Structures are given as C-alpha cells and as structure tokens.
C-alpha cells in the first residue's frame, strides 16, 4: 500500500493526463526533490530524536566506513564487469550501469523498513545505515564525476578513431 499503490496510481494517471501535463509542464523535478528532502529530514529526525538509540560515535564512524567501502566495492565491481572485453557496453552504458545499479533511495527504503519492522522498538537503529548510504552515494558520485567523465570521453574518442581507421 505504501510503495506499490502510489506507483501504480501515478502510472495510470499519467496515461490519462499525458497531453495536459505535456502542455502545462508542471515542476515535477522540484516537487520530487522537495518530497525526497522531507522524507530524508523526517527520517533523520525520527532516528536521532529517539531516546532509545544507543549509537556511540565510534560505532557511527564504523558504519560510515563500512558503507563507503561497500559503495566503492559495488561501483568498482560493476565497472569491471561492464568494461571487460566482449561485454558490448559503450562507455556511456558503463557509466549508467555503474551509477544506476549501485544507487538506492531513501524514498523506497524507509517505507519498506517501516513495513517490515513495524512496531520494532529499534527501527531507528536499523534505519541509520540507509540514512548514511543515501548521502554517501551522492557524495561519491559527485567526487567521481570528473574522473568518470574524462574516462568516458577518452574511451569514446578511442572508439571513434578505431572506426575511422581502415583495417
């Protein structure tokens, strides 16, 4: 009810209102960003205002390090698999695979946690890794963009040059 029903309703409504929405061009990007920010903010407040949360700084730092390690490992793994010879992926495909396959969102994760662990008194503790994972993927993505962009453009140039040269 929390995840699937709104998704299905949105897709059904999109079919009925497609022409109207294309003419009016509502600011869906801004609205979705505000909604995402509110979900993150309320989850963060719920988690860290809970008096039962017993999270010392060392444990929090360890969780942050583990999450960054997992995120980097997944990105490297997807990069390695999508760039191996014979994979058939273009450099642009590799970048999309690398970022899209490893990124998860709080908008889906938090409702799922609340459904699965409904009534569990330590729900705040369980949501901490997700609260860290989401900003970690944004931070890592923004740090890696210049490097990935230069790799992609150099690979695309190599592909163009190899197609121009006679065999």
């Amino acid at each position: 009810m929390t995840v699937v029903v709104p998704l299905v309703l949105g897709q059904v409504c999109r079919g009925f209102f497609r022409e109207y929405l294309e003419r009016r061009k509502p600011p869906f990007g801004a609205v979705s960003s505000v909604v995402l920010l509110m979900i993150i903010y309320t989850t963060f407040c719920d988690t860290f205002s809970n008096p039962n949360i017993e999270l010392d700084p060392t444990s929090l730092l360890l969780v942050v390090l583990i999450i960054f390690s997992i995120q980097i490992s997944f990105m490297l793994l997807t990069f390695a698999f999508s760039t191996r010879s014979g994979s058939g992926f273009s450099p642009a495909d590799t970048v999309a695979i690398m970022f899209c396959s490893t990124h998860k969102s709080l908008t889906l994760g938090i409702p799922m946690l609340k459904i699965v662990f409904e009534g569990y008194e330590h729900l705040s503790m369980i949501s901490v890794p997700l609260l860290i994972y989401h900003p970690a993927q944004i931070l890592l993505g923004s740090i890696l963009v210049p490097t990935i962009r230069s790799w992609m453009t150099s690979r695309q140039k190599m592909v163009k040059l190899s197609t121009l040269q006679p065999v």
Side-chain angles (χ1 to χ4, degrees), residues 15 86 106 130 136 150:
L106 279 172
L130 188 58
S150 65

Side-chain angles (χ1 to χ4, degrees), residues 7-45:
L7 182 67
V8 170
L9 283 174
Q11 292 300 315
V12 169
C13 290
R14 184 178 182 185
F16 287 115
F17 300 112
R18 179 180 303 268
E19 291 176 21
Y20 172 76
L21 295 173
E22 286 176 358
R23 277 185 276 123
R24 296 271 307 177
K25 303 252 189 245
F28 286 129
V31 170
S32 67
S33 294
V34 168
V35 169
L36 179 60
L37 183 62
M38 291 307 299
I39 289 171
I40 293 169
Y41 177 75
T42 57
T43 304
F44 190 84
C45 289

Side-chain angles (χ1 to χ4, degrees), residues 13 49 64-65 107 109-110 121 123 128 155 164:
C13 290
S49 67
V64 169
L65 291 174
T107 55
I110 294 300
E121 67 182 63
L123 179 63
V128 168
R155 289 293 292 242
L164 294 176

Side-chain angles (χ1 to χ4, degrees), residues 83-120:
T83 55
R84 72 182 197 279
S85 63
S87 70
F89 294 117
S90 70
D93 291 339
T94 297
V95 172
I97 290 167
M98 210 172 103
F99 284 104
C100 295
S101 66
T102 60
H103 281 56
K104 303 298 168 233
S105 173
L106 279 172
T107 55
L108 185 60
I110 294 300
M112 286 176 64
L113 279 177
K114 287 183 178 179
I115 291 167
V116 172
F117 295 102
E118 183 179 0
Y120 186 60

